[in-house]
Amino acid sequence: MDCASCVAKVERLVGGLPGTGEVSTSFTRQTLKVQLDETRTPRQTLEQHLRSLGYVPTLQGRETTPDTQHPHEHGHEHGDSHAPGHSQAAAAGPGRPWHQSPQGRLVVLSGAFLAAAWVLGFAAPALSTAAFVAATLLGVWPLARRAVASARLGDPFSINMLVSLAATGAVLIGQAAEGAVVVFFFAVGELLEGVAAGRARAGIQALAALAPKTALLLPDSADGTAPLAREVPAGTLRAGQTVQVNPGARVPADGTVLGGTSGVDDSPVTGESVPVVKSVGDGVFAGSINGDGVLTVRVDREASDTTIARITAMVEEAEASRAPTARFIDRFSRVYTPGVVLVSALVATVPPLLGGDWHSWLYRGISLLLIGCPCALILSVPAAITSGVSAGARRGLLIKGGAALESIGGVRTVAFDKTGTLTAGHPRVTDVHPVGGTREDVLRLAAAAEAGSSHPLARAVLHAARGLNVPATTDARALPGRAVTARLTGAEPDAGREVTVSSPGHTATLTDLAPDVQAQVTRLEAQGRTAVLVLLGEPGGRVAPEVRGVIGLRDELRPDAAPALAALHRLGVRTVMLTGDNGRTARAIADDLRRAGAPELEVHAALLPEDKLRLIRDLQARGAVAMIGDGINDAPALAQADVGVAMGGGTDVALETADAALLREQVSGVADLIALSRATMSNIRVNIAFALGLKAVFLITTLLGYTNLWMAVLADTGATAIVTANALRLLRWQPPARPRPQRSPTRRPRDHARPPPGS
């Protein structure tokens, strides 16, 4: 498939066959997946139709047999066998040098015939005409076959049909030389489309190839001696295994450092140009390059689920989410192409019937068929979208489709979550105020409730309770945005009671706060800290729980948060903070941002997940809204926003819900996303204007008799080449320059198990 329009054609035509279910075509992987009922359309028939359209299919994986599948289910399983049954996938062959492809061989052979005909024109003019006719028929034959196949499958007005009619008409009116030039230039144009498409795919395919093929697996050593690493295929690694990464080697899987310290180059994955120092507890990406130290890494994700694999899959799946402009161009071309045929027929027949010269007007009508070819127009959008998505992926901006890429450039408001988005997500306990006990008692109880969580606030509490005897608990549960609760067990004096870590707002619904406790909460919040209360109560909530202490936590701003908000302001975008934290803490964070150079930030605090969802809807009344978040409690708002953007280190729920993700975990990427979207849409507008403008010019010159056939095909092929080249410029897109914020040399991954109180 040479261009994205091929994808739409294949899906449309295959989807019209009897017994076909879901159809999915990947331009990047050159694959077609289709659920097929072979009792209605045998797989051989499907493959025959694909071949007739010019696509040679190769079955990928293995088919499921009737013995292993329910009779009403039609699918496909990956493997190696080829038993007859229900098939799902067919794919084009792998890439090859252009001169070895069928299109390349056609160009070479057609060009040779054309050159021979031109040489014969000097020695034997009669043979020259025959050679030009042969060159024309050679080039027209595959086009005519595909045109007939398309017509039989419901697409009678294909580009192949237009060129076939034009070239055949040229031969019939005695212009065989120009007919040969027409099909030769058209073949060259299709070849250039394929080469350009290969360049657009190369970036993503190179990303998929970053992960190493082998890994050094460290087996468990039962006798206490140092285990010896052995080389194994990286694809066989399983979560929980331990690998060794030597200096200069690539990390074989996403994981967590268990031993060693080294600078790691994450640029192949996130686009981050500065190596990041990784030590015990830090996360690493498959494909990153280790520096000068030896690292021992616990595998957290299998090869099929690494960050690189997910990026590649998401970018490939992005093709299914087509930009609204692309969908409009497709609908327009379905009306436009038959219109071109009608206008061409009228130009060729009406003037001669009114006394004009038949030969002259037939020639102009044939030229109009070529000028009207919608190749450049159809390519103008998907080529730019593919290049834009690829450029973003190379720079740590993961965009899940053309619709998201087009939408984010038009947002008028960007709403930010606070914890883990505007702040670094690495809070620490700053204050512990016991009520009727000791500081250690408060931390022990809080750590008991938080023991099952890996949320940043939970980790901060557990870190502060290190070395203390933390009670065992059971029945742990969370109320998103409100509290976490667990039941104490074991030999504790309070065994059987429930310990709760709660936000102040939720605590007020459970019990009355003493004035001194309320004063402590107010003081902490005024200082920009997050306050949580530790409660001890009876199961069932029949008796109001008692407050055992107040804990204050502080999460520092991301170094790039203020510059990111300033960059958005320069782009004319309004910024809003939506947080579950209290109003005083939220305003203190906003004040810190303003002192760091950010513009005025609109603040909405003390929000539950449903409140964020409601506010996003309210903001959408003023224009398109983008939501930036990283937690489970952000998922509804991310889904509701016109564009949801997840921080790369956030939860899987946030990443799957969002339309885009920032793999560098820098909020400055939001402004970069908007800039990339606007650059892409500007590119698309230029492409469309150029394609339509050039056609308008040649339409007029053809009707006036100034344009001949070879100029017409050059206009079509040239416009296609220029539009494609302009779209490929986006592959070199760079984010706008801005001052680089100071940052910590280390960065820890975040894997939120639940939203904390006040997040």
Side-chain angles (χ1 to χ4, degrees):
M1 295 178 288
D2 295 325
C3 67
S5 63
C6 296
V7 171
K9 179 170 68 175
V10 169
E11 289 185 350
R12 186 167 64 249
L13 298 180
V14 172
L17 294 174
T20 55
E22 182 180 351
V23 179
S24 173
T25 309
S26 171
F27 177 55
T28 304
R29 289 178 294 177
Q30 294 284 292
T31 59
L32 164 69
K33 293 184 179 179
V34 53
Q35 289 186 320
L36 181 66
D37 181 354
E38 293 200 66
T39 62
R40 302 180 64 189
T41 298
R43 193 189 77 234
Q44 291 77 9
T45 302
L46 168 64
E47 294 180 356
Q48 184 178 8
H49 283 311
L50 290 170
R51 288 191 185 92
S52 68
L53 292 172
Y55 308 104
V56 181
T58 303
L59 187 67
Q60 303 291 292
R62 70 175 175 87
E63 307 130 288
T64 55
T65 67
D67 296 334
T68 61
Q69 189 173 34
H70 191 277
H72 296 294
E73 295 175 350
H74 309 287
H76 175 78
E77 295 178 10
H78 294 286
D80 300 317
S81 66
H82 292 278
H86 301 290
S87 65
Q88 187 189 26
R96 67 191 79 178
W98 71 266
H99 57 274
Q100 294 181 7
S101 67
Q103 189 65 26
R105 290 195 295 268
L106 177 63
V107 167
V108 172
L109 189 58
S110 179
F113 267 82
L114 193 60
W118 180 76
V119 171
L120 285 172
F122 296 99
L127 292 177
S128 175
T129 300
F132 277 125
V133 171
T136 303
L137 295 179
L138 175 69
V140 163
W141 175 244
L143 300 178
R145 285 183 57 195
R146 294 203 293 265
V148 171
S150 296
R152 192 170 63 248
L153 294 173
D155 184 18
F157 297 104
S158 63
I159 295 171
N160 293 319
M161 183 271 293
L162 296 184
V163 179
S164 299
L165 286 178
T168 304
V171 171
L172 294 177
I173 64 173
Q175 300 293 333
E178 295 194 37
V181 171
V182 163
V183 294
F184 175 71
F185 279 144
F186 186 78
V188 171
E190 286 197 319
L191 180 64
L192 290 176
E193 287 179 24
V195 173
R199 284 193 58 195
R201 292 192 300 264
I204 300 304
Q205 291 172 342
L207 182 64
L210 283 176
K213 299 295 184 288
T214 61
L216 293 177
L217 179 65
L218 292 173
D220 295 332
S221 180
D223 57 4
T225 60
L228 296 177
R230 60 186 178 92
E231 189 172 271
V232 299
T236 64
L237 294 177
R238 297 292 177 262
Q241 292 182 324
T242 305
V243 295
Q244 178 178 305
V245 186
N246 291 332
R250 290 187 183 271
V251 178
D254 286 6
T256 303
V257 177
L258 298 180
T261 299
S262 181
V264 177
D265 179 6
D266 286 336
S267 61
V269 183
T270 68
E272 176 60 67
S273 58
V274 178
V276 181
V277 176
K278 302 291 180 84
S279 58
V280 176
D282 289 323
V284 289
F285 298 114
S288 295
I289 303 170
N290 187 21
D292 54 2
V294 177
L295 295 178
T296 302
V297 176
R298 182 188 68 232
V299 176
D300 293 337
R301 295 181 184 272
E302 298 179 5
S304 60
D305 195 32
T306 63
T307 300
I308 285 181
R310 295 167 76 193
I311 293 172
T312 305
M314 287 178 180
V315 173
E316 289 170 348
E317 290 167 3
E319 299 164 24
S321 177
R322 309 185 68 203
T325 304
R327 291 195 295 268
F328 170 76
I329 292 294
D330 282 347
R331 292 194 301 270
F332 174 75
S333 67
R334 293 178 195 175
V335 178
Y336 169 85
T337 307
V340 167
V341 175
L342 177 61
V343 171
S344 176
L346 292 175
V347 168
T349 56
V350 173
L353 291 176
L354 298 177
D357 177 62
W358 276 99
H359 182 277
S360 175
W361 286 103
L362 280 172
Y363 187 92
R364 295 177 190 181
I366 292 170
S367 298
L368 280 180
L369 284 175
L370 298 175
I371 292 169
C373 281
C375 298
L377 189 62
I378 291 174
L379 278 175
S380 58
V381 179
I385 293 293
T386 300
S387 297
V389 170
S390 300
R394 292 180 182 182
R395 291 159 182 82
L397 309 174
L398 179 56
I399 307 160
K400 301 181 185 177
L405 181 59
E406 180 172 337
S407 298
I408 196 167
V411 299
R412 293 292 173 263
T413 304
V414 173
F416 290 92
D417 175 46
K418 178 178 74 68
T419 304
T421 303
L422 290 174
T423 61
H426 308 314
R428 58 187 178 86
V429 172
T430 58
D431 302 83
V432 179
H433 299 284
V435 177
T438 66
R439 180 180 186 276
E440 288 72 20
D441 290 337
V442 176
L443 286 175
R444 287 174 63 251
L445 290 173
E450 300 279 17
S453 173
S454 58
H455 186 275
L457 293 186
R459 287 206 305 267
V461 170
L462 293 170
H463 184 270
R466 284 188 307 175
L468 300 179
N469 183 22
V470 177
T473 58
T474 188
D475 298 335
R477 60 189 183 278
L479 297 175
R482 298 176 177 88
V484 61
T485 299
R487 181 177 299 179
L488 297 172
T489 61
E492 278 290 310
D494 294 314
R497 301 184 69 182
E498 286 191 340
V499 58
T500 301
V501 178
S502 171
S503 67
H506 183 65
T507 302
T509 67
L510 303 176
T511 187
D512 295 328
L513 293 182
D516 59 329
V517 173
Q518 183 61 60
Q520 292 286 3
V521 170
T522 302
R523 183 183 65 81
L524 290 172
E525 292 177 348
Q527 295 172 350
R529 289 164 169 75
T530 298
V532 295
L533 292 100
V534 181
L535 312 176
L536 201 58
E538 300 298 329
R542 292 183 297 274
V543 179
E546 56 180 297
V547 176
R548 300 299 295 268
V550 181
I551 298 177
L553 303 101
R554 173 77 179 188
D555 191 5
E556 300 300 327
L557 287 174
R558 288 184 181 272
D560 66 320
L565 296 178
L568 288 170
H569 181 71
R570 289 192 296 271
L571 291 171
V573 177
R574 174 179 167 224
T575 52
V576 178
M577 181 200 295
L578 306 181
T579 178
D581 216 332
N582 64 87
R584 283 182 291 269
T585 299
R587 283 189 293 273
I589 293 293
D591 291 340
D592 290 345
L593 286 167
R594 190 168 55 253
R595 284 191 290 270
E600 190 69 32
L601 182 66
E602 182 179 327
V603 176
H604 297 270
L607 303 177
L608 297 175
E610 55 268 29
D611 297 324
K612 292 184 180 181
L613 183 63
R614 174 182 51 79
L615 275 169
I616 291 293
R617 288 173 177 157
D618 293 343
L619 292 170
Q620 286 175 319
R622 311 182 210 173
V625 176
M627 172 68 191
I628 322 298
D630 71 334
I632 292 174
N633 57 336
D634 298 322
L638 288 170
Q640 173 63 35
D642 296 276
V643 181
V645 181
M647 299 299 291
T651 64
D652 287 344
V653 173
L655 287 171
E656 293 301 324
T657 304
D659 303 297
L662 307 178
L663 298 181
R664 291 187 187 178
E665 296 190 61
Q666 295 178 0
V667 286
S668 56
V670 180
D672 294 341
L673 277 172
I674 294 175
L676 175 59
S677 171
R678 293 181 180 180
T680 303
M681 295 311 299
S682 175
N683 187 287
I684 288 172
R685 286 190 289 269
V686 169
N687 281 349
I688 292 175
F690 176 78
L692 292 177
L694 193 65
K695 289 185 183 302
V697 169
F698 273 83
L699 173 65
I700 295 171
T701 57
T702 298
L703 292 176
L704 295 176
Y706 296 122
T707 304
N708 54 27
L709 274 175
W710 69 267
M711 292 176 66
V713 74
L714 272 181
D716 176 63
T717 304
T720 300
I722 291 172
V723 162
T724 304
N726 187 47
L728 290 177
R729 288 192 311 110
L730 287 168
L731 292 173
R732 300 193 300 270
W733 175 86
Q734 294 290 340
R738 63 174 64 93
R740 187 176 182 86
Q742 297 297 316
R743 49 166 294 166
S744 169
T746 61
R747 179 175 56 195
R748 295 183 180 275
R750 296 193 306 282
D751 182 16
H752 299 204
R754 60 152 180 88
S759 75

